[in-house]
Amino acid sequence: FESQRTISFVPPDKDFTLMSYRISDPSIAPLISLNLNENSMGRSGVAYLLTLRTNYKARTLAKTIEVK
C-alpha cells in the first residue's frame, strides 16, 4: 500500500460487506465517499478499483480509519 497506494484482495465467494458506517443526522454529508470502477478481465475475472475520498476539511485529523 505504501508505495503504490493500492490494496489488492480476493473477495469471498459469498456475499460480504465492503463498507458501512452510520450518520444519525441527515443534515450532515457523508464523511467518506466511495467510487467504484469495474474492469472485465476476460472470462477469468473482474478487477475493481475502489477509491475512498474524505469529505472533511484539511485541518481535520482522522486518527483511525478502518476498512474491513
Side-chain angles (χ1 to χ4, degrees), residues 20-40:
S20 69
Y21 63 95
R22 295 179 190 204
I23 298 174
S24 59
D25 185 347
S27 66
I28 298 174
L31 297 176
I32 299 173
S33 61
L34 173 70
N35 184 27
L36 171 65
N37 291 313
E38 178 181 330
N39 298 314
S40 175

Side-chain angles (χ1 to χ4, degrees), residues 1-33:
F1 176 78
E2 292 301 323
S3 64
Q4 295 180 345
R5 310 298 290 174
T6 301
I7 299 173
S8 296
F9 71 98
V10 176
D13 290 335
K14 297 184 179 186
D15 291 343
F16 66 101
T17 300
L18 182 61
M19 181 175 132
S20 69
Y21 63 95
R22 295 179 190 204
I23 298 174
S24 59
D25 185 347
S27 66
I28 298 174
L31 297 176
I32 299 173
S33 61

